Amino acid sequence: MPPDRLTRIFHAIAALAVVVMMLTVVADVVLRFVFNIPVRGAYDVVSFGLLVMVFFGMAPVVARQGEILIDIVDGLLPAAVLGLLKLLASLGTLGFFLFLGWAMLGPARDAYTYGDRSLELGIPLWSLWAVAFVGLAGTVWEALRRLRGAGRAAPDTASAAQEAKS
Amino acid sequence: ETLKVSTFLPPNHAFNRMLTQWGEELAEKSNGELTVELFPSGQLGPAPRQFDLARTGAADVAVVLSGATPGRFPMAELAGLPLTSPAAGNESAITSRRLTELAPEYLAEEHAGTHILWMAVTPPLKLHLKSADPSDLSVFKGLRIRYAGAIWQQLIEALGASPVPVQPAETGDALAKGVVDGTAFPFEATKSFDLAPVLGYSVEPGFAAAAFAVVMGDKAYDRLTPELRKLVEETTGPDRAEAFGKMLDEGEAEGRGYMSAGGVEIVTLTDDQLATLRAEVSPIVEAMVKGVDDAGKPGREFLSAYTQ
Amino acid sequence: MSAFALGLTGIGSMFLLLFLRQPVWLALALVGIVGNMVLNDVSVAALLAGTGTFDTASGYGLSVIPLFVLMGEVASSSRMSAELFGAARVFTAGVRGGLSIASIAASGAFGAICGSSVATAASMTRIALPEMQKAGYEDGYAAASVAAGGSLGILIPPSIILVIYGSIAEASVARLFAASLIPGIVLMLLYVMVSVLLAGRAGPPPGAERVSLAERFRALLRPWQFMLLFLVSIGGIYVGIFSPNEAASVGAFGAVVIGFLRRTLSAQGFIRAVQATVIISCALFMIIIGATMFANFVVQTRLPERLLALAQTAELSPALVMALIVLLYIVMGCFLEGIGMVLITVPVFLPVVTGFGFDPIWFGVLVAVLVELGLITPPVGMNLFIIKAQSAALSMGTLYRGILPFLIAPVLLVALLFAVPQLALWLPGVLY
Ligand code: NA
Ligand code: NA
């Protein structure tokens, strides 16, 4: 299944987050060594960068089936059974992310009602939960797409490294 | 009946020792009907989640660091304000008892969904410096000091130094390599991280403390029979808080002894210096209290009851 | 069902799901959630899943993982791993089994800037495996050299496993990195020894190429930009000017700058490296998230405590308990993925181990070696899968047979760590 536009956008956002994390820390180091100015907020920016990377990066991982799995049964079982197992994985993935979305509602609501804030910059945490939900929605969409594909039994057995490295 | 007790603190921490002791007491007094299963080291969740664990029933009892979730426990956090303690003294046995006594009236609301078993206030954290002699407070200008929590961040800035966040376990190395010039820590922690070799000076008195709540979730409480509930109530409250505070005070005294023995000079601030400091931190205190009052909570009233 | 039985059932179902080729993260997460539902109720399972995921994804402590992955990816994109292999290859020219030795040495060197074994193995597979196959090396021997060498990625610092261990044990990551350097080098030498012993049977006779000693050493200096990167970033941790997070960021940034300056890295190559970093890191984070849920469930069943209590009621000596712990890690390593293993076991075993008077830093190194062993033990060995995934013609059986003799090396290192704890503790003692 070629990546759809949503996957590409999410992948780009996650990649941007990694670059922002790297540059923030480098800027912090440079300012500290050269000008002896500590950057206030580097800690928060890195944590938020990570959050964006994880929640937006899961959609491309799900879309390309880039998850690490153990495929020793592949040579032993008939193709029909393998197809069934893949369907099971896609179903499980979708089920998990739907459950996660529901499970995150409570704590997100709490973060909003209690006015939780980040430690360094005092950013309201509900905004981060909102970002996480956007990433999660994309992941659910990809899980749905994959389920539809698995129903048609795509013979694609790519695993994490191969995909990531290709 | 087994109570699942959760803390985010390392296995040998005083809280875990006290909760184990409490569990043994419960088992004995209930003839084994009520026991405690301890989950330390954040096995069930990190520090900021402990309260939610108890409130939702994922744990039955949890130890909550009030400052770990800024804004959730605004009243309890006031007990950790700089240079703020009951008139009777700033030993943990006194402060913990007082805060526990005030809990039903002032703190129950912000801990809704749980029963407060007891509150604890640590001995105030001290400032420690690697090589600068703090007899003159102006040496703090330009220094880099390791901190944790918003109050310490402001406090260090008020001294003219830069606050730097460093993980507790990395602090010793950060001091040795000059990444930071000092740190805020209780003596007990300087001992457990063995910091005497890399520190030259400690400043007394301590400035700001941390407040904790030991809470039992409503679900767990409702599950208990009336007799067991009574037992829980009898074995917690101000007396338990005082006993626990004593434990912390002893640890602190031990840590202080370790520091002196390790050649660290303990500098006591003069009354003049303290007065200057008080003046410098009063805007911080004022802003925090006003923030609570503005939110429609009796912050000032609570603070005057606490410092009485 | 008792909590104990439930715990065993949970672990059994997790293995079953793994063998039914369900993604590792999914198997861990599903068992964790369902187990929590049975043990508590749905709302508790939901709370732990919802907050656990958010907290893991926004935790500063783990942010070092994508940064070290990025450093490795950029270095690999700008051909540094290829140059390392090239240099090692010249150095071992004319030696029987030279390419196998070269791939182990190059993996060890690459491991010095890359925090993940999987990434190290993946990078080296593409470079070294085809060369060995072309030269007539036995398939199993060639693949096993890459798998074993790649596993050095998490022992030779930087190491993602040690970062995770440090966050659980509240131990200094800088110290852990210092402690694991010498054991990492020792393990590399042990792997080389195994490779030399096997070379007579499994390696083709060396070619007639003649390389002078001077040329060999000159070849070693050729990947200088790589050494610079190592000195500045990882050296910066040892000297104490960088935190691990800063070292990773500066290292990744430095790799980009070097790559652009030498024109070995194009803008396209950089973008691809960042995108690969996202996929690898997120696949790892999904496992960490799943493993957190699974660990959370297993911890509540008190399974590890009960096993430990059994050992204690049997009044076993500390030495025997330690031997049992090591054995348990080895057995678990055959079936489990490393991060999950660390999350489940360290909180339980660490107090016992330190109670016996062992140093937590030393134990961290021991755990890293055992996890590393787990990466290459059949049937579930991540490094083996990574290699299999990139070479379709290779059968899993060949790979399993090929790796067996290499397993002796980490086992020997474990024994050495017990006999000479200074192997791990000397360097941090000097540096800090
Ligand atoms: Na490494
Ligand atoms: Na294995």
Side-chain angles (χ1 to χ4, degrees), chain B residues 4 38 49 169-170 173 177, chain C residues 40 55 175 300 302 431:
Chain B
K4 260 199 224 167
L38 185 66
R49 294 291 170 209
E170 313 277 354
D173 297 339
K177 306 290 186 186
Chain C
N40 302 291
D55 293 344
R175 240 171 240 250
Q300 289 179 74
R302 303 241 125 189
L431 286 174

Side-chain angles (χ1 to χ4, degrees), chain B residues 4 8 10-11 37-41 43-46 49 52-53 56-58 167-170 172-173 177 179 193 219, chain C residues 40-41 43-44 47-48 51 54-55 170-175 238-240 296 299-300 302 306 347-348 351 431-432:
Chain B
K4 260 199 224 167
F8 63 92
E37 237 176 25
L38 185 66
F39 296 91
S41 310
Q43 283 181 323
L44 296 186
R49 294 291 170 209
D52 291 337
L53 289 177
T56 54
Q167 301 292 323
E170 313 277 354
D173 297 339
K177 306 290 186 186
V179 175
F193 290 114
K219 276 187 194 167
Chain C
N40 302 291
D41 57 42
S43 66
V44 168
L47 175 84
L48 293 173
T51 60
F54 184 85
D55 293 344
E170 298 198 300
S172 151
V173 172
R175 240 171 240 250
Y238 292 151
V239 184
N296 199 303
V299 157
Q300 289 179 74
R302 303 241 125 189
R306 295 216 162 101
V348 179
L431 286 174
Y432 299 102

Side-chain angles (χ1 to χ4, degrees), chain C residues 131-430:
Chain C
E131 296 291 326
M132 279 189 272
Q133 284 169 332
K134 230 186 292 168
Y137 281 62
E138 256 180 31
D139 272 357
Y141 175 57
S145 313
V146 177
S151 74
L152 292 166
I154 54 161
L155 188 57
I156 293 181
S159 156
I160 283 165
I161 287 291
L162 287 175
V163 169
I164 294 172
Y165 176 88
S167 76
I168 300 173
E170 298 198 300
S172 151
V173 172
R175 240 171 240 250
L176 286 165
F177 280 8
S180 61
L181 181 63
I182 293 175
I185 293 171
V186 170
L187 184 58
M188 184 174 81
L189 296 176
L190 289 171
Y191 280 144
V192 167
M193 255 169 53
V194 175
S195 158
V196 169
L197 288 175
L198 296 174
R201 191 178 49 77
E209 33 184 346
R210 292 198 157 273
V211 183
S212 75
L213 207 60
E215 267 176 84
R216 286 173 200 268
F217 280 100
R218 225 174 301 130
L220 285 192
L221 292 179
R222 223 165 287 147
W224 61 269
Q225 72 291 337
F226 167 85
M227 283 173 241
L228 182 74
L229 203 57
F230 172 77
L231 280 181
V232 170
S233 61
I234 310 302
I237 303 180
Y238 292 151
V239 184
I241 51 174
F242 290 148
S243 69
N245 220 320
E246 292 165 347
S249 300
V250 169
F253 188 71
V256 175
V257 171
I258 290 175
F260 279 150
L261 286 181
R262 292 176 65 231
R263 295 167 187 263
T264 49
L265 184 69
S266 60
Q268 277 299 317
F270 173 66
I271 292 171
R272 268 200 305 275
V274 180
Q275 286 183 325
T277 301
V278 168
I279 299 295
I280 294 176
S281 307
C282 285
L284 283 173
F285 265 89
M286 286 164 81
I287 291 180
I288 298 176
I289 288 166
T292 308
M293 293 175 195
F294 182 73
N296 199 303
F297 155 68
V298 173
V299 157
Q300 289 179 74
T301 65
R302 303 241 125 189
L303 204 60
E305 273 96 342
R306 295 216 162 101
L307 291 176
L308 214 59
L310 276 176
Q312 276 156 353
T313 50
E315 292 190 9
L316 303 178
S317 67
L320 206 51
V321 175
M322 286 306 287
L324 282 178
I325 288 179
V326 169
L327 199 66
L328 194 68
Y329 270 105
I330 293 178
V331 172
M332 285 200 317
C334 289
F335 302 98
L336 261 177
E337 172 282 332
I339 294 171
M341 222 159 87
V342 171
L343 284 173
I344 293 163
T345 56
V346 171
V348 179
F349 290 153
L350 186 65
V352 181
V353 171
T354 52
F356 289 154
F358 290 98
D359 190 299
I361 299 285
W362 173 88
F363 187 58
V365 176
L366 182 72
V367 169
V369 176
L370 291 166
V371 166
E372 180 168 337
L373 177 62
L375 287 171
I376 54 173
T377 46
V380 179
M382 275 315 146
N383 275 15
L384 305 177
F385 299 145
I386 291 302
I387 292 167
K388 172 76 180 78
Q390 298 188 60
S391 39
L394 199 67
S395 89
M396 214 60 208
T398 310
L399 204 44
Y400 284 166
R401 272 192 302 278
I403 200 70
L404 282 180
F406 282 93
L407 300 181
I408 192 77
V411 173
L412 265 178
L413 179 60
V414 168
L416 272 175
L417 278 174
F418 274 97
V420 195
Q422 283 304 311
L423 211 56
L425 295 177
W426 175 76
L427 190 59
V430 171

